[in-house]
Amino acid sequence: MAAELVEAKNMVMSFRVSDLQMLLGFVGRSKSGLKHELVTRALQLVQFDCSPEVFKKIKELYETRYAKKSSDVAQPPQPPQPRSTEPLSIHSSYDRGSTVPRTSISTTNIDYPALYGKYLNGLGRLPPKVAKPEVRLVKLPFYTTLDELLKPTELVPQNNEKLQESPCIFALTPKQVELIRNSRELQPGVKSVQVVLRICYTDTSSPQEDQYPPNIAVKVNHSYCSVPGYYPSNKPGVEPKRPCRPINLTHLMYLSATTNRITVTWGNYGKSYSVGLYLVRQMTSAELLQRLKTIGIKHPELCKALVKEKLRLDPDSEIATTGVRVSLICPLVKMRLSVPCRAETCAHLQCFDAVFYLQMNEKKPTWMCPVCDKPAPYDQLIIDGLLSKILTECEDADEIEYLVDGSWCPIRAEKERSCSPQCPILVLGSSDVNGLLPTPNGNSENGKATADVVDLTLDSSSSEEEEEEDEEEDDDEEGPQPKRRCSYEKGLVSAC
C-alpha cells in the first residue's frame, strides 16, 4: 500500500492543470484555483482518501497523457523515480524525556516534503477555497491573536447530503508549542495561550462575527470537542440562542510538531460558512480593565468641555434648560459607580460601571450600552475623568447636575419630616404683662394668667354645637366652666 501511495503521488506531481481538474472533478472537489492549489488538493486526496477507484482514475489519467506522446517519442517519459526505495512518509518519534520530535522524511529527485510542507496547514476533504477578497473576522477583546494557523476558508459541500464533514490538518511549530506549554492557567486545565477554531459567514463585505452552522460538531484527532450550548429562552415562541464564540481545541491537540487532524461536521442548508484557526492569548476582565485604566481615561477638562457643548447645542432634550442630571448609580447593578465609563459614540453623559460591564461581557458578550442600548465595543470605551473626580468629592449624594458653565452641584434627597408628641406646639391665649408665654400647666410665672384650650381637630359645626351646650350649662351654674377638648395638658395644642 505504501508503494502505491508513493506511485500515486508521483503521478499526481506530473499532472498538468487539465489532468488535475479532471481528477478533482471525478471526486466532486472544486476545480478552481491556481496549479499549486490544485496540486495540494490532489495530494491531500491521495494522502487521506485514496480509494481503489481514485487510484485507478489517477493511473488512467497518467497513462492517457503519456500514451498520446508515445507516437512522437520512441520511449515514453518515465515518472520521477525516488532515489531511495524507502517509501515517502511523514512521521515523528519521541524520547520519553524529550519534547523535540525526530522526523524522518524520505527524499526523491523532486523535493516533495518541501513542496507538500508549504501547504500542510490546509483542509482535507473540503477544498481549501480561500475567499477572494478574503473573509475577515471581527477582533475579539478577550482574545489577542498571536498567529494565524489557517486563514478563513470556505466550507464547500461535497454532495447533496444535509450533513457534511470537512477535515483539516495542521501542525504547530516548536515556538508555538513552547508558548502554549509556558502560558499560565486561567483555571485548571485551561491555558491562556490556546489554539481556537472560529466560524463565520462567508461574507467579504465587512468583518464578520462568529456564527455557527447548524448541527455543528468538532472532532480533534480522536475526541469530540465541546461546543457552547444554547442560552435558555423564557419568552414563548422565541428560539434559544447559541453563544457563538471561539472553540478552544488546545486540550485535545498533540502539543508537538506532528500533525493534528480536525473534522468539522456541519449542516448544509444553503448558507455558506468559513472556518479559521488561530493561536491566541485569552484575556480576563481584570486585564482588560487595567488596560482601559491605562489608555482609556478621558481628561476632566475634555469631559467638562463636552458637558458645555451638549448643553449649548441641545438644552431642551434634558430635564432642565440650565443643566442636565447624571446619576451616580450604575444602571447595571444599581450600585454606586466605581469606574464610570461609556462609549465615545454614545450621545448621553450618563455612565455605567466598567468593572461590571466587562465582567458581564466576559460571561455573555453582547457589548451593548445599558443606557441607550446601542453598540458599545471595548475599543470605544472611555473612562470619564470628570465624573471620577466628582465621585471622590461627592460621597453623600446619588445624583448631580451639570450646569451650563461646566460646573456641577450635588442633588440630595429631602428627608421626610416625622410627626411625634415632641413636635412644636401652638399656644393660644393671653400672656402676662411681661410678654412671657404661659407654662405647660396653663399658668404664668406668677401663677395668675391662664390660657384657653382650642381643639384644632374639631370642625366648625361641632364647635358651634358645643358652644350652645356651654351656654345652656352657664344658665344653670354660677359661672362658665371651661371644658378640656383633648388629651394634652391645658394650654397646649399640637401643630402637627
Side-chain angles (χ1 to χ4, degrees):
M1 183 63 185
E4 293 181 354
L5 183 63
V6 173
E7 183 182 0
K9 288 182 178 180
N10 292 338
M11 293 179 185
V12 168
M13 291 300 301
S14 66
F15 281 177
R16 297 169 298 183
V17 173
S18 59
D19 300 326
L20 294 169
Q21 290 176 340
M22 292 183 65
L23 174 61
L24 295 173
F26 175 75
V27 294
R29 305 293 178 85
S30 173
K31 300 183 291 183
S32 61
L34 301 177
K35 183 177 180 179
H36 71 269
E37 296 177 338
L38 301 177
V39 172
T40 302
R41 296 174 200 168
L43 289 175
Q44 291 172 348
L45 175 66
V46 174
Q47 180 75 17
F48 298 105
D49 299 300
C50 190
S51 61
E53 293 80 8
V54 173
F55 181 76
K56 182 179 179 181
K57 183 65 176 178
I58 293 174
K59 193 172 183 180
E60 177 184 340
L61 290 172
Y62 179 81
E63 293 175 350
T64 302
R65 176 190 175 189
Y66 287 104
K68 293 179 181 179
K69 294 186 177 182
S70 60
S71 59
D72 301 329
V73 183
Q75 185 177 0
Q78 298 296 323
Q81 298 296 327
R83 297 177 181 175
S84 172
T85 57
E86 182 182 355
L88 173 66
S89 61
I90 302 177
H91 63 276
S92 299
S93 60
Y94 297 85
D95 296 329
R96 291 186 178 272
S98 173
T99 59
V100 180
R102 299 196 308 272
T103 305
S104 62
I105 303 176
S106 64
T107 59
T108 64
N109 57 343
I110 297 178
D111 194 358
Y112 292 107
L115 178 63
Y116 184 67
K118 288 175 62 178
Y119 310 106
L120 181 61
N121 288 3
L123 300 179
R125 292 181 58 187
L126 62 95
K129 180 182 177 182
V130 179
K132 299 179 181 181
E134 294 181 353
V135 174
R136 295 168 296 157
L137 287 118
V138 296
K139 294 182 178 180
L140 300 178
F142 287 99
Y143 295 88
T144 301
T145 302
L146 303 178
D147 205 352
E148 188 178 55
L149 304 178
L150 174 67
K151 291 183 178 181
T153 306
E154 185 179 356
L155 295 173
V156 179
Q158 304 302 312
N159 48 49
N160 295 327
E161 297 293 332
K162 293 300 182 183
L163 203 61
Q164 300 284 330
E165 282 191 358
S166 300
C168 166
I169 58 172
F170 72 98
L172 296 173
T173 65
K175 183 178 179 181
Q176 293 168 347
V177 172
E178 183 181 0
L179 281 174
I180 297 175
R181 291 186 181 277
N182 296 337
S183 63
R184 62 186 177 87
E185 288 191 346
L186 300 174
Q187 51 184 292
V190 180
K191 292 283 190 178
S192 59
V193 177
Q194 306 167 359
V195 174
V196 297
L197 176 73
R198 297 186 65 183
I199 310 177
C200 67
Y201 289 129
T202 305
D203 186 355
T204 60
S205 60
S206 61
Q208 298 296 301
E209 296 182 350
D210 293 67
Q211 184 65 48
Y212 295 160
N215 306 115
I216 182 176
V218 180
K219 186 177 182 180
V220 182
N221 295 319
H222 304 290
S223 304
Y224 280 95
C225 183
S226 60
V227 178
Y230 288 89
Y231 288 136
S233 177
N234 298 326
K235 298 181 180 179
V238 177
E239 295 184 359
K241 295 183 179 180
R242 184 197 293 269
C244 297
R245 60 182 65 184
I247 303 173
N248 184 11
L249 311 178
T250 316
H251 59 291
L252 298 177
M253 289 175 45
Y254 302 135
L255 294 182
S256 64
T258 189
T259 58
N260 290 274
R261 183 182 178 90
I262 299 173
T263 303
V264 180
T265 304
W266 52 286
N268 180 24
Y269 293 94
K271 292 186 177 180
S272 180
Y273 295 85
S274 293
V275 299
L277 285 172
Y278 302 90
L279 184 70
V280 301
R281 186 186 303 276
Q282 186 174 354
M283 312 293 287
T284 64
S285 59
E287 291 172 325
L288 291 187
L289 178 63
Q290 185 59 40
R291 181 188 297 177
L292 185 62
K293 289 181 177 180
T294 304
I295 63 176
I297 298 180
K298 194 166 187 177
H299 196 275
E301 291 300 325
L302 296 177
C303 297
K304 185 176 181 180
L306 179 64
V307 172
K308 295 167 67 175
E309 185 71 13
K310 181 174 179 60
L311 291 176
R312 184 180 68 85
L313 293 177
D314 193 14
D316 296 331
S317 64
E318 305 295 345
I319 298 176
T321 58
T322 58
V324 55
R325 290 190 175 189
V326 172
S327 176
L328 304 183
I329 302 299
C330 175
L332 283 172
V333 291
K334 307 304 179 185
M335 295 174 59
R336 187 177 175 86
L337 293 168
S338 60
V339 184
C341 80
R342 63 176 178 273
E344 284 189 304
T345 54
C346 291
H348 52 80
L349 298 175
Q350 179 64 52
C351 290
F352 48 86
D353 199 299
V355 178
F356 298 107
Y357 185 71
L358 293 176
Q359 290 177 355
M360 178 188 71
N361 283 281
E362 186 177 19
K363 295 180 180 179
K364 183 180 178 181
T366 58
W367 300 106
M368 300 296 291
C369 175
V371 179
C372 61
D373 202 28
K374 293 182 180 180
Y378 176 78
D379 56 359
Q380 293 182 358
L381 295 181
I382 57 103
I383 295 178
D384 192 317
L386 177 59
L387 197 57
S388 298
K389 184 178 179 181
I390 292 174
L391 285 167
T392 60
E393 297 176 358
C394 181
E395 299 181 353
D396 57 345
D398 293 335
E399 192 175 14
I400 63 162
E401 182 175 4
Y402 286 124
L403 305 179
V404 290
D405 60 352
S407 60
W408 61 276
C409 62
I411 299 176
R412 297 180 176 88
E414 296 182 359
K415 296 182 179 180
E416 295 182 0
R417 295 180 178 178
S418 59
C419 181
S420 62
Q422 289 76 24
C423 63
I425 56 176
L426 175 65
V427 180
L428 301 180
S430 60
S431 61
D432 60 1
V433 292
N434 294 328
L436 300 175
L437 291 176
T439 57
N441 60 3
N443 298 327
S444 62
E445 292 182 355
N446 56 14
K448 295 181 180 179
T450 60
D452 296 331
V453 178
V454 179
D455 191 349
L456 299 180
T457 62
L458 299 178
D459 55 15
S460 59
S461 60
S462 61
S463 300
E464 294 176 356
E465 293 176 358
E466 292 177 355
E467 288 177 358
E468 293 177 357
E469 293 177 358
D470 291 344
E471 292 177 356
E472 293 177 358
E473 292 179 357
D474 291 342
D475 295 340
D476 299 335
E477 298 181 2
E478 295 180 357
Q481 300 292 332
K483 299 184 67 178
R484 183 168 297 178
R485 303 300 183 186
C486 65
S487 61
Y488 294 106
E489 296 183 7
K490 184 176 179 181
L492 303 180
V493 62
S494 173
C496 298

